[in-house]
Amino acid sequence: MHSDMDRIGDLAEAGEKMIERLRRKAFLPESRKGLNVRFGIAEAAQLLGCSTNRIRMAEDDGRLPPPPASENGRRAGYTVEQLLRMRGVLGASPARADADEPAIIAVQNFKGGVGKSTVTTHLAHYLAVQGYRVLVVDCDSQATTTTLFGFNPHFNVTREETLYPYLSIDPTQSDLGYAVKRTPWPNVDLIPSNLELFDVEYELAAAGADGGSVLAARFRKLRAGLADLARDYDMVILDPPPALGTISLAVMQAANSLLVPLAATTPDFCSTVQFLSMMDQVLRQLGEAGIAVGYDFVRLICSKFDGNDPSHAMVRQIMEQTFGSALLPVSILESAEISHAAMRMMTVYELERPIGTTRTHKRCRANMDEALGQVEQLIRRGWGRVAPASEEAVVNEAA
């Protein structure tokens, strides 16, 4: 006869099998996630900051391949991979210069349910659409970000494929290259996670009298490993655990920028204030221990905001009064399209067509572009640049 304790394991096993069934259903026929989203010529021109005529001319003179055509003879739209090739040909790549420091952004809040993994994955895909090279590092043993990228952390990811072999007490890897996986996005890579990554926390907690020095060594090691990997990317996005543990502390020290998502509710506001207070104390203690921490920017972003809810508007106003310019002006709106995409283990940037109404999808996508574009501008400002001006903007300014 099973006890309630035994049932916990049974429930976990049943849940893991259901996740795999959902993954297989979502990613048929190969049970593997793909990227089928396409961009029409007008949207491609907007993303490249040029005119549609310039794209057509490049196709006519052979600098770009002929336009993709569907069965009915109409343009089928460009893939992300084709957009990247077009950026190279047309000189429209936003990539950082060699002298620019890669942005290493920790998306962190100790309060669960604020949309941390949703912000992480959408930010990665937004930046990918803009043409940047992105590395996402899932540092959270709950592995939600890994799941959203199409990997089942229980069936598809082993402990040896996570940060564990690099951060453990007895490491078997001297750099992080072993852990980098390709994703369906040609310019986004992932270091995945799974539940076994939590073993790092146990090991360091059991380090005994030498725990402090071991911990400091792990902090420096993660920072060095990520800095080494970052040379091949424009941005690195870190998704740490929603708790003040060893890995979270290491991520704080490895990042050079901090993005704090919080929902527009009083409990989330109060929890985030406590998080910031705790962060302040921890960073001071790290500094006193000789572990340097510095951020190019620290910003809060309001997530899951419902503009039709008066309580959300009130809490948003409280946020503005409290955090001032540290709160990004554009919130991420609550949208059924985000929820529908998540059910398919996707972001709104991966949807081939709207799941809800076209209007809802367009509104959600436009809001995501505007909200996450704020982060892009902070990064580019750190490089001493603003967003590249489109040909249309240059012409209008000249007029």
Side-chain angles (χ1 to χ4, degrees):
M1 181 176 177
H2 272 9
S3 70
D4 281 351
M5 289 289 289
D6 295 327
R7 288 195 182 96
I8 293 174
D10 294 341
L11 292 171
E13 184 178 355
E16 287 156 356
K17 289 180 179 177
M18 179 54 71
I19 290 173
E20 182 62 10
R21 284 177 60 189
L22 291 171
R23 191 184 73 88
R24 289 181 179 276
K25 185 176 181 180
F27 307 146
L28 288 174
E30 301 98 352
S31 295
R32 196 175 161 193
K33 186 170 182 176
L35 184 64
N36 300 315
V37 63
R38 289 178 177 269
F39 303 86
I41 189 169
E43 190 174 4
Q46 184 179 15
L47 286 168
L48 271 60
C50 69
S51 64
T52 55
N53 189 47
R54 187 177 179 196
I55 294 175
R56 289 192 175 96
M57 288 175 62
E59 291 171 342
D60 290 343
D61 63 24
R63 285 179 295 144
L64 288 175
S70 62
E71 294 178 0
N72 59 13
R74 299 178 59 187
R75 284 177 177 260
Y78 302 95
T79 65
V80 173
E81 198 161 11
Q82 288 169 332
L83 278 182
L84 291 173
R85 194 178 306 122
M86 292 161 71
R87 287 183 183 279
V89 170
L90 300 178
S93 172
R96 64 181 178 85
D98 291 339
D100 296 329
E101 184 179 7
I104 303 179
I105 307 167
V107 182
Q108 177 63 302
N109 195 327
F110 295 162
K111 172 74 167 63
V114 297
K116 184 167 61 69
S117 296
T118 299
V119 171
T120 297
T121 49
H122 278 84
L123 178 59
H125 293 166
Y126 165 80
L127 292 171
V129 171
Q130 306 309 311
Y132 297 98
R133 301 163 298 167
V134 184
L135 172 66
V136 177
V137 185
D138 194 350
C139 312
D140 186 355
S141 58
Q142 295 181 63
T144 305
T145 291
T146 297
T147 301
L148 286 171
F149 269 96
F151 298 94
N152 185 316
H154 182 74
F155 290 98
N156 307 132
V157 180
T158 67
R159 184 167 73 171
E160 285 65 40
E161 295 174 292
T162 71
L163 291 173
Y164 178 84
Y166 184 76
L167 292 179
S168 68
I169 290 290
D170 298 310
T172 56
Q173 298 286 352
S174 58
D175 65 66
L176 286 170
Y178 73 92
V180 176
K181 286 186 176 291
R182 300 294 303 272
T183 75
W185 292 78
N187 51 339
V188 181
D189 291 336
L190 171 73
I191 293 182
S193 179
N194 70 7
L195 193 58
E196 292 178 287
L197 179 60
F198 196 75
D199 289 349
V200 171
E201 304 279 1
Y202 285 122
E203 290 181 5
L204 292 174
D210 295 329
S213 60
V214 171
L215 199 60
R218 289 300 171 276
F219 288 173
R220 296 187 179 96
K221 188 175 185 182
L222 182 60
R223 183 173 189 171
L226 289 174
D228 187 49
L229 274 185
R231 289 182 295 190
D232 294 327
Y233 300 92
D234 301 304
M235 290 95 169
V236 178
I237 307 174
L238 311 176
D239 185 5
L244 184 58
T246 300
I247 294 176
S248 289
L249 289 172
V251 167
M252 287 180 203
Q253 200 262 343
N256 58 28
S257 303
L258 179 64
L259 184 64
V260 182
L262 71 161
T265 69
T266 302
D268 280 282
F269 173 77
C270 295
S271 177
T272 300
V273 171
Q274 292 176 330
F275 161 68
L276 295 171
S277 177
M278 197 178 300
M279 275 278 294
D280 181 55
Q281 295 176 37
V282 169
L283 294 178
R284 289 179 189 275
Q285 290 170 1
L286 290 175
E288 291 169 1
I291 302 173
V293 180
Y295 298 132
D296 294 335
F297 65 81
V298 175
R299 293 292 188 277
L300 298 94
I301 184 165
C302 181
S303 60
K304 305 167 80 170
F305 181 75
D306 183 353
N308 296 319
D309 188 330
S311 69
H312 280 216
M314 183 179 68
V315 175
R316 167 78 203 196
Q317 190 174 20
I318 291 171
M319 290 180 191
E320 293 169 354
Q321 293 171 355
T322 306
F323 301 129
S325 60
L327 178 69
L328 292 174
V330 179
S331 301
I332 296 176
L333 302 178
E334 183 84 77
S335 174
E337 201 73 354
I338 297 174
S339 302
H340 291 153
M343 274 291 294
R344 291 158 175 78
M345 300 181 192
M346 293 180 174
T347 68
V348 295
Y349 291 101
E350 296 179 295
L351 297 177
E352 296 176 60
R353 60 184 64 86
I355 297 175
T357 66
T358 301
R359 181 180 178 186
T360 298
H361 178 81
K362 286 184 176 179
R363 183 169 61 240
C364 176
R365 175 66 187 274
N367 167 248
M368 275 291 185
D369 286 348
E370 188 179 9
L372 299 175
Q374 299 171 119
V375 182
E376 178 192 8
Q377 291 312 303
L378 288 169
I379 296 167
R380 295 187 65 84
R381 193 180 305 163
W383 295 341
R385 282 177 275 163
V386 294
S390 66
E391 289 181 3
E392 183 182 359
V394 172
V395 169
N396 290 341
E397 187 174 338

